[in-house]
């Protein structure tokens, strides 16, 4: 009997990727049972490129696959020549440092993929894995972008199905899984929690999940100068975002059960 696309997807191993912006979070991801890390800095604003020192520290204390998010700033994904030059240098830097992959994405003003910029970055990545990050979720045509990613040789697309959360975007995620035909990994991200993983997998056929598993711990500061903000207004600067080992372990257990049941 000929296998359907759903049958093929169900036999792909489940993958749990954790986005981490500190050594503490990366260690919690590993001890909790994650398969790989997306390393960034400033996760509170969606993540921007990390520094080389943080990458080296994560390599020192973990042995997970590490893909590095490359994003020069907060905001849109329409990058100037100068920003593209920064991205090109960062791809080369993290390739030399031994990263397993990079996480990139560039758009034109009309919402299409900036193929010229993407091609340059993919070429510089060489044999590293390449993930298209959530610039995909604000592109004009996700199916056109999927085909362009496939032509570029991109391995993974991180997406919420162009909605605020992956569960809200589950219908598009299911369509993307069908269109990808197993040739591009569809990595569901945004709002991923242990209690949503099984339902999302069953509805969409997605086998790869991206989460921070974050908890907010209180700052160790005892003296606190109030009324002197250092960043974006509205954020508690005495709350530290950090990956929870327990949250990652809970999600990992569910995914391992899905693997066994298949």
């Amino acid at each position: 009997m000929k296998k359907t696309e759903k049958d093929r997807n169900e036999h792909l191993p489940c993958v749990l990727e954790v986005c981490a912006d500190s050594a503490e979070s990366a260690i919690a991801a590993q001890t909790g049972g994650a398969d790989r890390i997306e390393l960034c800095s400033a996760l509170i604003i969606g993540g921007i490129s990390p520094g080389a020192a943080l990458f080296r520290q994560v390599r020192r204390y973990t042995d997970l696959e590490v893909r590095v998010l490359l994003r020069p700033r907060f905001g849109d994904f329409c990058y100037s020549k100068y920003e593209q030059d920064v991205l090109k240098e960062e791809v080369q830097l993290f390739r030399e440092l031994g990263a397993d992959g990079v996480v990139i994405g560039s758009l034109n003003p009309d919402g299409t993929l900036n193929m010229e910029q993407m091609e340059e970055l993919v070429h510089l990545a060489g044999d590293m894995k390449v993930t298209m990050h959530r610039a995909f979720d604000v592109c004009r045509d996700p199916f056109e972008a999927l085909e362009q990613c496939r032509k570029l040789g991109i391995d993974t697309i991180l997406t919420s199905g162009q909605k605020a959360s992956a569960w809200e975007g589950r219908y598009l995620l299911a369509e993307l899984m069908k269109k990808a035909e197993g040739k591009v990994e569809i990595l569901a991200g945004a709002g991923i929690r242990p209690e949503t993983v099984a339902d999302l997998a069953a509805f969409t056929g997605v086998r790869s999940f991206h989460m921070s598993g974050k908890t907010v711990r209180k700052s160790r500061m005892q003296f606190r100068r109030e009324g002197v903000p250092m960043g974006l207004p509205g954020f508690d600067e005495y709350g530290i975002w950090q990956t929870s080992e327990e949250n990652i372990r809970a999600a990992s257990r569910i995914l391992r059960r899905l693997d066994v049941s298949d």
Side-chain angles (χ1 to χ4, degrees):
M1 182 181 295
K2 184 178 180 180
K3 287 186 177 181
T4 66
E5 192 59 43
K6 184 174 185 296
D7 292 330
R8 286 192 289 271
N9 289 336
E10 286 178 347
H11 287 84
L12 292 171
C14 291
V15 174
L16 180 59
E17 177 181 276
V18 174
C19 47
D21 62 358
S22 67
E24 292 88 345
S25 287
I27 292 166
Q30 175 159 296
T31 55
D35 297 294
R36 68 179 183 235
I37 293 168
E38 180 200 78
L39 186 65
C40 64
S41 63
L43 188 55
I44 198 168
I45 55 169
I48 56 176
S49 303
L54 176 58
F55 175 83
R56 291 190 187 100
Q57 192 173 54
V58 168
R59 274 293 195 220
R60 186 176 304 128
Y61 293 108
T62 73
D63 55 15
L64 293 178
E65 177 185 341
V66 180
R67 300 188 188 184
V68 181
L69 173 70
L70 301 182
R71 185 182 177 206
R73 56 165 169 76
F74 171 75
D76 65 35
F77 304 102
C78 187
Y79 296 129
S80 70
K81 172 193 179 298
Y82 306 104
E83 290 169 327
Q84 175 70 357
D85 286 345
V86 169
L87 288 167
K88 287 160 63 177
E89 284 198 32
E90 288 181 328
V91 171
Q92 292 174 303
L93 169 65
F94 285 105
R95 183 181 178 186
E96 290 167 3
L97 288 173
D100 298 289
V102 289
V103 184
I104 60 173
S106 301
L107 299 179
N108 292 311
D110 65 358
T112 58
L113 263 60
N114 187 321
M115 292 294 283
E116 181 179 352
Q117 289 186 343
M118 295 284 289
E119 283 173 357
E120 287 183 325
L121 300 178
V122 170
H123 174 73
L124 289 170
D127 58 0
M128 287 194 293
K129 296 288 187 181
V130 179
T131 299
M132 170 76 184
H133 61 46
R134 291 191 64 210
F136 183 90
D137 282 326
V138 291
C139 76
R140 187 175 66 184
D141 184 336
F143 299 112
E144 177 186 52
L146 170 61
E147 289 307 310
Q148 290 174 317
C149 285
R150 183 154 35 191
K151 289 176 183 176
L152 286 168
I154 287 174
D155 303 279
T156 301
I157 295 173
L158 170 60
T159 175
S160 64
Q162 297 200 323
K163 297 291 185 181
S165 73
W167 182 251
E168 292 176 75
R170 62 192 182 278
Y171 294 98
L172 179 55
L173 285 171
E175 287 299 311
L176 290 169
M177 283 296 292
K178 292 176 184 175
K179 298 282 188 183
E181 298 177 329
K183 297 173 183 175
V184 178
E185 177 188 34
I186 302 300
L187 176 62
I192 301 296
R193 301 184 303 278
E195 56 268 28
T196 64
V197 165
D199 287 343
L200 193 57
F203 189 94
T204 64
V206 166
R207 308 291 286 174
S208 299
F209 299 88
H210 170 99
M211 65 186 291
S212 68
K214 71 176 181 295
T215 187
V216 181
R217 66 173 178 82
K218 292 182 180 179
S219 167
R220 294 186 295 111
M221 287 295 299
Q222 295 177 346
F223 174 78
R224 301 187 179 189
R225 176 73 67 190
E226 302 296 340
V228 188
M230 296 292 173
L232 295 173
F235 285 101
D236 177 9
E237 294 178 0
Y238 293 102
I240 311 300
W241 285 28
Q242 194 167 301
T243 296
S244 160
E245 178 183 331
E246 290 74 21
N247 288 341
I248 302 307
R249 182 174 291 110
S252 178
R253 283 174 176 165
I254 292 167
L255 293 181
R256 300 297 85 84
R257 287 200 293 268
L258 288 177
D259 278 335
V260 170
S261 66
D262 293 341

